Structure formats: C-alpha cells, structure tokens
Amino acid sequence: MASLLFGSICVLCILSALTHTASSQKLNTVYRVCARGFFLSEQETCLPCNCKGHADSCEDITGICIECQDHTVGDFCEQCEDRYLPVFLSDGTFVCRPCACPLSLESNNFATHCDKRGNFLRCVCQEGYAGHYCERCAPGFYGNPMELGNSCKKCDCNGNSDPNLIFNECNNVTGQCLNCWGNTSGDNCERCAPGFYGDAISAKDCRECQCDKCGTASCDDRTGVCHCKPGITGHLCDRCEEGYSGFGSCMGCRRYCERCLPGFWDYSPSGCKKCDCPEENCDMHTGECLPEASNISECNIDCDACIWSLIGDIRQSNKTLDQVRNSVLNISTGAAANDRLKYYNYTAHRLQDQFLGWRNKYAVMRADTGRLEEETQKLLTDMELVAEEEETVQLLGERVDQDTLDSSTLAKMLIANLSSLNNVTEDIIRDWELYGVYQELDPQVKLLKIAEAERILGWMRNLDLSSKEPHATDESSEAHELLRRVRHFEKTLMTTQGRLSPMQEVLGRFTSKLFQAQDLINNAEDTLQQALNKYKTNQLKLQRREAQQQRLKDTYDSVNQTTVTAGVIVSEANQTVLEVEDMITNVREQHAEIDGARVLLERKTEKLSQSDRDLVLRAEDHADDLRRHAEELQYNLKGSDANGHVQKALNALNVYDNIVKNIDDANITALTALNISSSTHDVIDVLNSQLNLTRSQSNDIFTEASSLYLQQNDVESTVLDNKKYIEETNEMMESSSEKIAKIISDISAIHKDRTPKRLQLTQGVAEGTLNRSAEVLQKVTPILKRVEEWNSNMKKEAYSVAAFDRTVLSAGEAVQDLSEIVPELLSKLRVVEEKKPVNNVSTNIVKIRELIAQARSVAKKVQVSMKFNGQSSVEVRPHSNLDELKTVTSISFYIRVDPDKDPIEDRFLLYLGDKQGRKDYMGLAIKNDNLVYVYNLGGEVVEIPLGSKPVSSWPPVFNLVKVERLGRHGKLFLTVPSQDSTAEQKFIQKGEADGIDSLFDLDPKDNVFIVGGVPPDVKLPPALTLAPFVGCIELEALNSDVISLYNFKQLHKMDVVESMPCPRHKLAFSQSRVTSYLFDGSGYALVNNFERRGKLGIVTRFDIEVRTVANNGILFLMVNEANFFVLELKNGFLRLMYDFGFTNGPVIMESNLAKLQINDARYHEVSVIYHHSKKIILLVDKSHIKSMENEKKPLPFSDVYIGGAPSSILLSRPELSSLVGLKGCVKGFQFQKNLFNLLEEQGTIGISSGCPEESFMSRKVYFTGDGYLGSTAKISPFQSFEGGLNFRTLQSNGLLFYHRNGLDEFSLSLENGAVVLQSKGTRVRSQKKNYNDGRSHFLVASVTNQKYELVIDDKDKQDKKKPSSSSQPDNVPKTFYYGGSPTSSIQNFTGCISYAYLSRQDRDIEPEDFQHYSENVQVSLQDCPLERPPAALHIKDSRDSSRRSPGHSRKVGRDVSSLPHGLKNNPLDVPETEAASSYLSSRPRVTRHAHHYGGFAHSRHEYTGIAGVVRDESHFSLSLKTQSAFGLIFYLADESEENFMALFLTHGRLVFTFSSAQNQVRIRSKEKYSDGQWHDIIFIRSGNIGRLIIDGLTVLEDRAPGGNISLLVQDPLFVGGVPPDQAKKNIQKMSVSGFSGCVRSLQLNGRWLTSASHSFGVTPCYEGPSEPGTYFTEEGGYVLLDDSFNFGSRLKMVIEVRPRVASGVLLHVFTGEKEYLTLYTYQNQVVVVVNNGIREFSTYVSPRQEICDGNWHKITVIRDGNMVQLDVDSEVNHVVGPVGEAAQNSSSPVFIGGAPDSMLPHSLHSRRGYTGCMRNLSVNESPVSFSKAALVSGAVGVGACPAA
C-alpha cells in the first residue's frame, strides 16, 4: 500500500513540473497572425486559402473555408448548393448559377435538386411543378413557370371542385376553376351557380332558386331574392304588373293598350301609325282625316265614376302592398347583408395578403434586375467570342454540306438502280408464282417466251462451247420435252377443270354433312361408354351404402335418448316402406311383362340420364374443396377485417353450400328417375337409399352433438341440437312421403301395352343408326385417304394424267354412294333425338350450373387481398371472351409492399399469356427498384419502367396500379394515396412497340393468368423470370370486368394461416370515397322486409340514384305472387309498370319526355311516391314529371329487388320476361328516406363497391347506314398521323373515318370488301377484299413525311410513298367523322366501330370516348348487335329445310278466323321493328342528294314557295344524268300556262324556255346530253334575258324583245314530270312524258331545294347496275292500279318479288270494310288474308328458302269462292272459308306495295309497306303494267330496280 502511494506522488510531481515549464514558454512565445485569405499551417507559415474565390477566410491548420458564399458549399467551397449548378470560367474558377428549371434565374428556379450529365439536365421539382425542367405546373396548381417572376400556386376552388377530375381542377395558367360542382361557379367556385343561392364557401349549401324561370331576370346568389324582368312583379316574379301583359312570352310584360291615341291610327301589336292630317286628327281604324279630335286618353275606356273610384282604391292598395313587400325584403336582406359584409371582409384580407406578396416580389425583382445587368455585360463579351468561332464553324459546315450533297447524289443513283433491279426481280418472281399456281401461260406471252428462247439458243450456237456441247444438247432435249409435257398438261387440265368444279361443290356439301354425322356418332359412342361405366360405378356405390347402413345401425345403439327418438321416426318410415312394398307387390302382379323389357330400358335410361353425372360429381368435389378453403379463410381473417368486407366475401362464398345441397337433391332425383323407369323393385332400393341418406345425415348431426356433449358437458346445447335434428328428420320424412306418392302415381300411369313397343322401336332405331354409321365410316375413310394422297401428289408434282382422271372418277363414285346414305342416316338420328325420354337430372344439372355461375360471379367481386410469401402463386380464371382483349387490354390492381420489413428486390408480379412464354404476352414486375410493365405482340419485347416513383419510396399501404395497352401503345399508371389528406399522387409512363403488330393474340386452349408466382407447369419469358412476389395484391378489373383473386382456377403453396390477407381501406382513393354500387347486368341486390327501416303509410316513397349509359335495365322490382311493381329503363327512358290485381290489368306509365331519359352518364335521382293507396307520382331530380291514378289498393310487398332479379322471378310473368339487369352505378336506395347498405343485405348477389369512370365511357358505336359521329380535335391527318379502330360489318362499302380541309380529303373506307386509305388523291388499298365477313378486324393507318401505311389484322400491310409537301401541322382543332359524313360522297357505314384512337397533338393516345362527341346522328352507343354473314344464313337455311317433313308446307285449315296457330304463336317471332335478317341491304348504295324520275308517266317532285322568288329574276342549277332522248326536267307556270318557264330534253338536246306576255325566249343546245353521264346545268333568267350554261363550257344566251319582263307564275314547281294534261300547251308531247333519269343538287339562287311538298314515283338515284322491275324503297309508297280489273269470286294473281325487308304488304284489294284480300310477308312467311263479308280467314307458307335470301320468288294467289290457295315457289297451302253469297264482279281499288293505313285490316301482323323489287304481275292471266297505274305515291321507282 505504501509503495502505491509513493508512486502516485511521484507522478503528480512530474506533471506539475511539465505544466510549469509549458506556462513559462507560453509567456515567452509571440503568436503569428496571417492576413485575410491566408491560413497558418503546421509549419507556422501562411498559405493562401483554397476556397475558389467564394470565401474570405479559412481555418488554421486545416484550411477549411469559413462561410462559403455565392451559393457554394463544401470544406473548400468546391460544390454548389442544391438548386445551383457550377459554370466554369476561362481562368479555371467557377460560379454557381441557378438551375435552368426552367430558367436559370433565382426567381424561376423551382428545383429542389438538379444535376447535369453531359448535355442532359435532370431537375427534381418542388411541389406543384412538373416536367423534365419544371416548366409547367402540376395538376392542382396553376401559373406559368416560364414567365419571369411567375410561379405555380395551388388551385383555390374553395373545396367545391369535382374530386373525380383531379388532373383538371383548374386552368393551369390562369387558375380559373374548371369543374365546380355542388351547384357552384366563379373563378374560384366562390359563389353559387346561376339559378342557385346560398353560402358556397362555408356552409356549401347552394340550393335551387324558387323563382319563376319565365319571369326572372336573375336570382341573387346569396339570398335567393328574385330579380324580375321588366313589367313583372311578385315575390317569385310570377305575374305581370298591373296594366301589363305577355307573361307567357318569357320576354317580360308590356303595357297593354287596346286602341291608338288621338293622332294615330292602324292599331297592331307593333304600335300605331301617325295621322297624315293637317289637324293631326284621323279615324283610328281607316286613317281618314276628321274635323275634331276625339277625347281618348292613353289606354282608357269609357267607364262611370264608380268604376274609376274602384280602380283608384285598388291602386292605393297596391302602393301599400309594395311598401309592405319592401319592408319584408329589407328584413330578409339585413341577414343577408351581414353575410355579404363577412364575405367582403374575407375578400379584403385576402387582397391585402396578395398585395404584400406582390410588394415583396417587386423588391426581389429589383435586386434581380441589377444582377441581370451584370450578367448581360458578360454575355455580350461571350457573344463576341462565339461570333469568331461561328465563322470557323460555318466554313467547315459548307465543306460538310458539299460532301453530303455528293454522297446524297450517289445514294440516289444507287437507290434508283436498286429499285429498278428490285422491280425486275419482283416481275420475274410474280411470273414464276403465277406459273406455279395456275400452270398456264397466256398464248401471246408464250410466243414471246419461245422467241426469246430461240434467240438465246442462236447466240449459244455461235459461241465456242464445243467442250460443253454434249451437255447443252441434253439440256435442249430436256427443255423440248418439258415444253411438250406442259402443252399436253394444259389440255388435260382444261378437260379436268370442267369436271372438278361441280364435283368439289357436291363433295363440300357432303363433307359438311359427314362431319356432322361423325360428331353425332362419336357423341353417341361416348355416351354409351360413359353410361356403362357409370352403371358399374353405381353398383359398387350401392353395395358400399348397404354396408354403411349396417354400420350406422350399430352406432345408433350407443346414442342417448334423442337417438332413440330418431330410431322411432325411422321405424315409422320403415313401416311406411312396408306398406308401399305391399302396394308395389300388387302392381308387380298386374304388370309382369314390364320385367322383360327392364334391361333394355335400363340401358337407354342410363345412357341418357347419366351422361352428366360426372359433372355432378366434379361439382360436388369442387364444392367441398371450396367450402374447406372458405372455412380456413374465415378462421384466419377474423382479426384482419378492416371494413367488414372480408366477412362479406366469406358470406358470398358460402353460396357453394347451396350448390352441395342442390347436388344432393340432384342425386336423389336421378336415382328416383332411374327406378321409375326400371322396375318396382328398384323403387324400394331408391326408398332405402333415401332413408340411408337420412340416417347418414342424422348420424353426422348426432355425432357432432355427442362430441360437443363430451367436450363441454353442455346438456342444454345437446338437447337443442337434437331438437333441430328431429325437425329436419320430420321434414325429410314428409318429403319422402310426397315422393312415394308421386312414384305410385307414375307407376299407375304406365301403359303396359305401349312400353314394349317403344322399347323395341328404340332398339331397332339405335341398331340401324349404328349400322349405317359404320357404313358411312367405311365410305368416308377411303375418300379421306385419296384426297390426302391427291393433295400430296399435287404439291410434289408427282402425278400423271391417268392417275388424275382415276382419282376424280373414284371420288365421284364415293360421293354418289354417300348421297344415298347420308340423308337416311340423318333421318335415323332425328328419330333417336325425338324418342329420347325426359330426364329429370338435366333440369337439376341446369340449376346447379346456374348456381355455379352465380357463385363464380360472386367470387369475381370479392374485394379482399391475398398475401404472397415468396413461394405462393394464384392462377386466376381466364377471361371468357379473349377477342375483347385483342385491341385493348387493361389490368388494374392494388398492391402493398413494406420496404422496412421486406427489402425491395427484383420480383415477379403477374403474367397473362401462353404457358411456355413464346407467344404474345403481357406482365408486370419489379426491377431495379422500379415498377416495370412488359409486353410482347410478336416482335421485340417492350419494357416500360416507372422511374419517377421507386418502389422503395412507396408508403406501406395499398397503392393502385393500372397497365393499359391500346394497339402498339402501352401505359403504366401508379396512384399513391396520401396519408394525411385526400390528395393523391399520380404517376404515368408510356411506351410503344416497334413494327406493325398491334393485336394481343391469346390461344383459348393455351393461356394462363397468374399472379404473385409461377406454377411448376408454366414457363415465363426471360423478361419476367424473377423471384416470386412478397407482399399483398388485390385484383380490381380486367378491361371493364371486375375480377378477384378468389375466382381462382388453382392455388399454389398459398397458406392462408401463415399469410393473412392485408386489410385495405376502401375509401383511400378518390374514386371510392362516395359509397356506390356497380351493377354489371348479372347481379342484383335484394332488400328483405324493407319495413324494418320504415312503415308503409299514407305516403310511401322509394328513392334511387342511378348513373348509366345503358338503354335497358331494371331499377327496382317488387313481386308478390301475381302482384308486381317495376321501375325500369326502356330505350333510355324511365318506364313504370305495376299491377296489384287491378280490374283492367297492369298500369303502365311511359313517355318520351326529355326529362325521362336518364342514360346520359350523369347521376339522376328517381323517386316513386304512392299516395293514399291510389296515386303514383314519379319524380326525376326532385322535379315532378308524371302522375297516375288507379284503383285504391295498398302496396302488397315486403321485399324489393334492385338492379335485377333472379331468372325464376322474371320468367314467372309474361310482363317481366323481357326485363334485363342494369349495367350502371347506384349511389343509394332509400325507403321512406331511410338509406340501405346494399352490400350488407343478405340477398345481394353479384354487385361490387365503387364505380370506376371507365364504366360510363362509350368505346363502341353501332351505325345503321344513316348516321355518323363527329367531333373536333387537334390532328394533322395530312402531315403526321396515326389512327386505329376495330370494325365489324356485313356491308361491302362504307365510310369508316373522314376528315376534310378545303378541297383536301382524308378517309378510311370499305370499298367492295377492301379497306382503302385515301389522302389528297393518293389511294392505299388492302390486299384482301373480304373484310365484310361479319368478324372483327383491326386497322391502323399512319401518315409520315415519307409514306402512307395501312395495316389490317397485323397481316395485311400496304404502303405508298407520300408526295413531298411544304405544309406544316398547325395547332387548330379540326373536324372529323366516324361512320359517315354530311359532305362525303362515300356511302355511310353499317356496322360496329370500337376502340378507336387518334394521335392528337394535345394529349396521349387513348381510346376515344364517343359519349363526348358533339355530333351524334342516328347511332347507338351501346353494345353492337351480333351479325351473321350471309354464308352462315345459307348454311342454317339448308340445315333447317332438310329437317322438315315432306308435307310440312301442305297444311289445310277450315274456317280459320285469323292467322294460323303456327304463325300467330311462334315463340321466335320478334317485333315488327326488329326485322329478320336479309341478304340484301334495305338501303342500296345511292348518289347523295340525287333523285331518280321516270318509268311512270307522271313521276315528279312538287315544290312550293318558288313563284314569288322568280318573279323578276332567277338562277337555277342542277346536275343531270339520263339516257332518255326526251323528257321534261323542270316546269313552272300560271293557271292558264300563258306565263311559264321550262327545261326539257328533245332528241337528246337541252332546251331552256320561258314566256311572259307573249314574249318568249327559247335556247337549245347543239350537243346531245343523253349519254348516261353527269352534266352540270345552270339556267338563268334576268328580266327578258335567258342564259343556259352546260358543264361550265357551253354558254348559250337569248333575249325577248322589249324591256324587262316579270314572270307571273304560280306554285308548285314541277321537277321530273307534271300531272296529267299539263304542260302540253307549251311542250311537245314526247318531251312531256318521256323523261327517265337522275337529278341532283337542285338549287335556286344558291340555296338547296331539299324539302318537296309532294312526291310521286320518285326514288333515290341508285348506283351500280339495274334490272327491269318496280322498286319500293324503305321510305314507303304504293302503286294504285287503274279500275280495269274486276274482282269477283274468282281471282288468280301471280307476282315475282325480291324483298329486302322480311315484312311488308305486297297487295291489298279493297272492296269494302268487311270485304278485302291482303297479301303480305311477315318474318319470312308469306300470308294471305281474305274477308268475304262473313268472317276473316287466312293461310300462310313458310318457304324453304327464306324470302329475303336475295333471289326472286314467285307467289301465286288463287281464290275460288270460299277457297283460297297460296303458292310460294311451288310450296302450297290453302284454306277453306265460310260459304257465303257469290260475290258480284266489281271494280275494286288495288294497292301494290302498301296501302293507306286506314284501309288495311287491323288483324295484320305487319302494316308497313313493302321494301324490295317486283316484276311480272298478272291478274287473271292478264299482265299488269305499273307505268299505266292510276297513281304512284311515295318513293316508288317504276321501270328499274337496283340489281342484287
């Protein structure tokens, strides 16, 4: 211890000594201080600071700079601050300049950070700025960052902006709010919109003003006070002031006067005229001067003193009322004034803040101005240096230009040489291809080739090729031999070709039938084999069930008293069985012969009834698996249900329990049906099976009850379970008793004598069918082998003429054999189909399938996520219609990652494509911390990374991801919800595939949709071969369909216990913040017992808020037995129909009022009020629309369906059978103003939460040939353009897209089935010409500076070089059209266009939303109707016709009062407006604005309102096309025809003449113009001068003697002809009645004459060839024959028709109201209806070839007394009517092609006029000429028809 202490003292001494020494030295040291800008080093020397000139001092020793200036940072001021970049000077120093984000100025630098790599500047923008250089404001901000001193400020819309339009909240420059909602308006949505009042800023309660709209000038937006128009008064501006009138004009009221003041006359509503008298006194009516003035004051009348006193009192009262009204208004205005002052105060404070901000900015700007002046001086110095360098660069550039020009010249020469070489090569290849395909040459070409060969041979002989002479000789010999063989083969081929064509046609028909027969045979064999297997399986099951029954009996002995009770019930059931057995024994004795036929019947029944049992078993297993998964999921999700939606999803999945129950019922029913058909012994087995099933279920329940008893000792619970079991057992026993009774009834109904015969007949038919099938196979197999051998030989050219002939003859013999076998085989198969028994199982299977489909629909809408652990994956069920994904594919889903828990690595997310990853695909992955969208359309792989938001920066919540592909163009969207506000962050990245491939082709048999990971049997492409995903995913939509991970096909390593789903906040995104429900047409909501939320009372009210674009759909429906109530959409209009057992049947409320049309993609609130149990009131958007009264009855309903209903409900009544589910959005449903949450209702199926905006966009449009869609956009079709669209049509011609700029046109159209791009005269035409096949085709048209390009279906590519043009794209909106145009000469399109897109200059490429187009003319924006190509119609016709029995069309009826039963009650009949399909279009292609006249002597148009216009002068113009040498084109005259003007043809020459007061002008052309070409004619009259101008070249003029003359004529103006006996006075007879031709573009003084007052026999001018006949157009019309035909009791009428519409009146003979004969077509049936004065009778024929197949059909009607016979193409039917008195021969009017509606009988199914062509009409063997008809009314063309 002492030693330690001594040591410590020594140490202290040493330390104190050292300290003393140091202090002594310090006192003696002199410190050295360095100058400013230097620092003291360790060697005590002063060194300069290394601060790059940006700091004045630095630290000693280290030299670290102190207080860096000029925006520099770092130890040595070597770096620039954030938002600044270094600019190095010539002396090596640098200065920090503000980042050019967007301007290199302090005031306009809006980056938080920037860096420069090479020449590329990257800016990280501040909040509110966007763009590569922060050059624009982000969505939600406004301003102009490019303007000096300007910046981006947040949009201030006072919270009144539409949250669904976050990207377009305000104008990005001015800040003016663009989408105010909540009835607000103003630049900042700061006040209520016009017509509304309230507080838009604080209370946000803008309400609609109550003012009368007709009398109100404006409404105060704060108080709602009405400001009236002049002359109007009242609190609501709803009446005129005293002494004023005219309120109904809505223009204000004016003082009413009934006479003129003294000194005025001629009273009228516009005022009075001043008297023209010396004393200014005249008669107020005539204006005659009077000696004295009358005492009339302003607007007064003579009244006594009493009246005047009364008027004075009323005026005094009005003044008092006005004072009271003003006082009341002042009182109400006081409260409003307080609010207004508050608003002004708020505005003043805001302006003060803005002023302070402006003043601060001004100070900053002054400082910036000084710096700018210094920078400007430096820039001037730099510019001088740059100018010197510019001269050097310019000299170098000139040399480069010269070298480039030389290179370009050489390149052009090389290209020209290569082009010529390429053309020659293509010609050679084309010639060889033609030769290889057709194996023949044109004779002239052949001679030229031989001459060429001889010349080459001569040249070769002159060459010295002695060494190769033998070889040349051999080659020459072979060439001659080959030529000989070719010539010989040409002869043989032409001989064979004549035989081949008919043989191929016959072979094709029979091949089709053979394939059908083969399919039927294969199905029959498969069914037989399956039936046999199922029979064996059922036997084994039966044995196992018997063993199980024994085990169950042993188990019952150990159960408690409840089991004994159940045993008693079972014993009672056994007793019942014994009684049934006794009854069955008696039946067995009576029907012993049934046992002999049991085996055969059992086989047939097994074959037909068990064919679908494997489906039942699979469904049962699948249901068990789903139930197991649902229970596991329910257990693991109890703690993670954020919004209660998980439990809803699990409840929805419990639908599968119903499936299991129905499967059990199906099994019971199947066994029952089998035993009914086999024998009575099997009936006992069925009953035992049912009892076994009952015992099995009872055992399960009791076992569970016993287990609970042992575990919990809960006796009470056990008793309750046993009681429940007893009740269920009783119900099952009652059901069994009912089934036993039904079995007994069925057995009693069996006919013992008919059953064996049926079995024998069925057995014989089946054996015959199999034998004939074997014969067919024996015949078909050799033909197939020969055809394959023939085809192989043809390809290899290893054939001979003899073998070719033998093959053709052999095929002909085989086909002849088949022609005898196939019809017999088809007949046998039809017999088998007709003999098959009714199968109970089929009905249950259909029900099961409906439930499965319903369950899958529910599973698709489960909005719950799945958590992936890095090993799991989900295979989702693929899309049902892959064609919808070809053009556009869009997938959206929610994804959650947690970077803190799971580090972000490269991960796979999803994949849609084939299983091997070799074909088209699309997918999503995480790569390099970026979300990457990958897709491949057959070319190069496209990868679109979203670099603007790394995955590691995502918040640990669900983010919304959407990938979209439109043709070659792809987009990736990311939406990140904010954690502390309602704002969202949205990121977009786009890309484009190279090449021409634009379609996403998926193989229906080889495609998968996998999420999260990769199953073992799937191989991904390299771009997606990554590690599985870790995190949570919830699918949202595929295109417009809602999808879910729970609609999975397979799960792989998905452990729901360890990987619990992540809860998602459903209202985190703006599109989901408003509670709404999406209906897709398949689901519905059911509110049971709606009185739990309110009671039925005197006034009962239902409210529903709907948004939709659909035409039809159920809004809500109530049904109770025979009573129903439905509110629906029909053709876009609201329709109400209900029946509470009313005496007169259902009550219907429907109208075409504009307010009832609600399918405009906006929300509409619809209210139905039932008042005092007898009155229905309908409100739309809180406005009364319509009301209706009915018998007084209470509402007999307690449940209501919303948006749809089960099919069983809809089919329960005929009135409901046509209803369909709603496609749209429902925001809320209320009963008695109480709101229901539809997703929480137990009966809701198939709806989802939230309504995406895409659901209300119209991507498809259907054109009928008469309409078009038009809009405007910033496009440049002539310079730089890309457009694409899907189209589907059966028409060969039609305009798809059209744009016109002056005389330049750009169009995409169909021309004879080919697609044509036309631009400024350049045409690009597709190679294929069959794009009118009724299938969807996708075309892409593009225009670049080099070429025009057209691509259809990724295969048909055509292009042409674009001529050079100096025009540049402008930024002006241009008009374009789809489906047609008001100005184009191309026929409008008929068909469907969908998913169209355009390259617009002001936005990215995206599908067009046709809903927002400004011009919508006769088009449908709903789904396109399914069309069938004509070929499909013909195949169907032939198949149907082959199944008709020979006597089908020869039916005889007697004394039928109306149409035959088959015609009247045909379930396939459709309404008249939905005509059956026709091969020919109902509107042939026509020349626009042109009409055809002629064929009928007085065919013409009549125009009125012309005579007064042409009195002094006129300027007419028209275009003419005719082949007639004579004809009157134009005629206008007075009644005496002394004054007239005419244009006519004589001998092919045009004559223009007019006459007035015996002064006539006549101008005649020298040339003939009846050449069938269009000619432009202008004829002008000015006074007495006439001028005729033809085609702009020929000008003829003449004048009448004397001065100017007036043409005093009368209306009408006749064009194309005149009425009988007119114009003959001035025009020669040949020219009056002989014109036949077309006139178009008729104009008077530059204005079109379009609306004729009358039309007689005028049709459109049809293009293309024509043929003789009379054509009835779709516009309607008829021909009235003259009275030269007598119709008595005998009549024979023959006519040939070629209809273009399936329904129409052909002929109507009218003798009287109860005596007539009508011939018409209805839905391809020909019907004749006759009434002989006693009653009406009729008959009809359904021709085998449809009446609208495009061919001529001959119809004959014969009437002989009371018998009428109808013959259509040799198919005959007749009817015998009642016997009456013989009709007298009389002249009756005969109408052809239609008739006035008043004359047609009411019993006709179709009253529309006939559309199509007629010819060769004869009546009683006498031909009828329509050209001599008494009248041709409407658009009927006599003499010519458009050819088919």
Side-chain angles (χ1 to χ4, degrees), residues 1119-1147:
V1119 177
N1120 183 5
E1121 297 180 352
N1123 305 316
F1124 69 91
F1125 184 101
V1126 59
L1127 176 66
E1128 63 164 326
L1129 265 182
K1130 187 171 184 180
N1131 298 323
F1133 292 87
L1134 286 173
R1135 181 176 186 263
L1136 194 62
M1137 179 171 58
Y1138 58 97
D1139 187 357
F1140 306 158
F1142 301 135
T1143 305
N1144 297 325
V1147 178

Side-chain angles (χ1 to χ4, degrees), residues 541 545 612-627 655-671 693 697 739 841 843-852:
K541 287 183 178 180
R545 288 181 178 176
D612 286 334
R613 185 164 295 175
D614 57 341
L615 176 62
V616 176
L617 296 175
R618 290 199 304 271
E620 184 176 2
D621 295 338
H622 185 49
D624 290 337
D625 292 339
L626 290 174
R627 181 171 55 188
V655 173
Y656 282 96
D657 292 339
N658 296 332
I659 295 176
V660 175
K661 185 175 182 298
N662 279 275
I663 290 172
D664 293 337
D665 294 339
N667 287 328
I668 296 171
T669 308
L671 292 173
L693 179 61
Q697 294 175 346
K739 292 179 180 178
V841 179
T843 303
N844 283 333
I845 292 298
V846 170
K847 293 180 180 179
I848 292 170
R849 286 173 176 165
E850 288 181 355
L851 286 173
I852 291 175

Side-chain angles (χ1 to χ4, degrees), residues 773-974:
S773 301
E775 294 180 16
V776 171
L777 289 174
Q778 293 175 359
K779 296 293 183 181
V780 171
T781 303
I783 292 177
L784 180 60
K785 293 180 179 178
R786 291 171 185 169
V787 171
E788 292 176 350
E789 181 181 359
W790 185 17
N791 185 33
S792 176
N793 291 338
M794 288 289 288
K795 291 181 179 178
K796 298 178 180 178
E797 298 185 357
Y799 53 82
S800 64
V801 176
F804 187 90
D805 291 338
R806 287 196 302 273
T807 302
V808 174
L809 293 175
S810 177
E813 294 171 358
V815 170
Q816 185 175 2
D817 293 340
L818 288 176
S819 65
E820 300 173 359
I821 294 174
V822 169
E824 183 178 355
L825 176 62
L826 293 175
S827 177
K828 299 278 186 187
L829 290 174
R830 283 196 298 273
V831 172
V832 173
E833 287 181 350
E834 293 171 359
K835 296 298 181 182
K836 66 182 180 181
V838 177
N839 191 354
N840 294 348
V841 179
S842 300
T843 303
N844 283 333
I845 292 298
V846 170
K847 293 180 180 179
I848 292 170
R849 286 173 176 165
E850 288 181 355
L851 286 173
I852 291 175
Q854 200 174 74
R856 286 177 178 170
S857 176
V858 172
K860 284 198 310 182
K861 298 175 177 64
V862 175
Q863 296 176 311
V864 180
S865 67
M866 283 190 180
K867 188 171 184 179
F868 297 85
N869 57 10
Q871 297 180 346
S872 54
S873 65
V874 178
E875 182 178 351
V876 184
R877 291 191 178 276
H879 198 271
S880 58
N881 187 356
L882 298 181
D883 287 339
E884 291 186 357
L885 305 180
K886 282 188 174 182
T887 306
V888 175
T889 314
S890 172
I891 302 175
S892 59
F893 62 94
Y894 298 95
I895 181 172
R896 174 175 176 170
V897 295
D898 195 342
D900 296 333
K901 295 182 180 179
D902 299 312
I904 301 302
E905 300 177 357
D906 291 356
R907 299 283 187 182
F908 164 78
L909 293 179
L910 60 84
Y911 170 80
L912 176 60
D914 65 294
K915 291 186 176 181
Q916 299 301 317
R918 299 174 180 174
K919 303 176 184 178
D920 293 0
Y921 69 85
M922 61 184 295
L924 204 65
I926 298 175
K927 292 185 179 182
N928 301 323
D929 200 18
N930 289 330
L931 190 65
V932 182
Y933 174 29
V934 184
Y935 64 94
N936 190 337
L937 303 179
E940 297 295 330
V941 177
V942 181
E943 291 196 10
I944 305 176
L946 187 66
S948 57
K949 186 68 174 176
V951 180
S952 58
S953 66
W954 293 4
V957 296
F958 274 101
N959 303 280
L960 177 60
V961 176
K962 179 180 179 182
V963 293
E964 181 182 278
R965 183 202 58 82
L966 174 58
R968 299 182 294 111
H969 306 275
K971 285 185 181 180
L972 174 58
F973 302 83
L974 172 66

Side-chain angles (χ1 to χ4, degrees), residues 154-189:
K154 191 172 182 64
C155 296
D156 181 16
C157 297
N158 289 299
N160 291 325
S161 180
D162 190 345
N164 295 317
L165 302 172
I166 186 173
F167 285 101
N168 200 21
E169 184 177 4
C170 69
N171 186 289
N172 61 353
V173 176
T174 64
Q176 181 181 0
C177 297
L178 302 176
N179 297 288
C180 297
W181 75 342
N183 303 320
T184 62
S185 66
D187 292 345
N188 302 100
C189 305

Side-chain angles (χ1 to χ4, degrees), residues 212-224:
D212 191 288
K213 295 181 180 179
C214 192
T216 303
S218 64
C219 165
D220 190 282
D221 62 339
R222 295 285 296 177
T223 64

Side-chain angles (χ1 to χ4, degrees), residues 594-657:
I594 295 178
D595 292 336
R598 178 180 59 82
V599 176
L600 294 175
L601 182 59
E602 180 178 345
R603 290 176 181 174
K604 294 300 293 179
T605 305
E606 281 291 314
K607 179 184 71 174
L608 296 173
S609 65
Q610 301 296 328
S611 60
D612 286 334
R613 185 164 295 175
D614 57 341
L615 176 62
V616 176
L617 296 175
R618 290 199 304 271
E620 184 176 2
D621 295 338
H622 185 49
D624 290 337
D625 292 339
L626 290 174
R627 181 171 55 188
R628 178 173 52 81
H629 286 300
E631 291 172 354
E632 293 175 358
L633 182 62
Q634 183 176 11
Y635 175 79
N636 292 288
L637 298 184
K638 289 181 178 179
S640 62
D641 191 356
N643 299 312
H645 292 280
V646 174
Q647 186 60 39
K648 300 173 193 172
L650 295 174
N651 293 339
L653 290 176
N654 287 334
V655 173
Y656 282 96
D657 292 339

Side-chain angles (χ1 to χ4, degrees), residues 69 98 192 270 340 558 640 789 839 1166 1257 1347 1407 1720 1739 1813:
Q69 302 173 1
C192 294
S270 60
R340 183 62 61 92
S558 60
S640 62
E789 181 181 359
N839 191 354
V1166 182
M1257 295 181 179
K1347 64 180 179 179
Y1720 70 102
T1739 186
C1813 199

